[in-house]
Amino acid sequence: MTRFEEVKNLIMSLEGDFDKFYDKKNQAAGTRVRKGMQDLKTMAQQIRSEVQDQKNEAAK
């Protein structure tokens, strides 16, 4: 369940940058949002792989 907490923490840490970019048009915040979304994508792929590996191990 720690992976889930990591995902939640990453998303929550980006909240301020989303606000700054969309509401205040801060371009640097947009860069941070894009980086955070890339990190989220990487993390999601790692979690998918872990889940698939565990599923396959259980099936053996």
Side-chain angles (χ1 to χ4, degrees):
M1 204 58 152
T2 59
R3 299 295 277 170
F4 183 67
E5 291 296 323
E6 290 176 26
V7 171
K8 286 193 332 186
N9 289 338
L10 176 59
I11 291 171
M12 295 308 294
S13 71
L14 294 172
E15 185 176 13
D17 288 327
F18 269 96
D19 179 52
K20 289 176 186 174
F21 178 71
Y22 284 109
D23 294 338
K24 299 175 183 159
K25 308 299 184 210
N26 182 315
Q27 297 302 310
T31 300
R32 291 189 297 272
V33 167
R34 286 197 329 270
K35 182 190 182 313
M37 291 292 96
Q38 185 63 43
D39 292 344
L40 182 61
K41 178 182 172 185
T42 301
M43 189 181 298
Q45 186 60 47
Q46 290 171 346
I47 292 170
R48 289 185 77 241
S49 296
E50 289 173 11
V51 169
Q52 186 66 44
D53 290 345
Q54 288 185 19
K55 181 180 155 194
N56 292 341
E57 287 296 317
K60 288 183 182 179

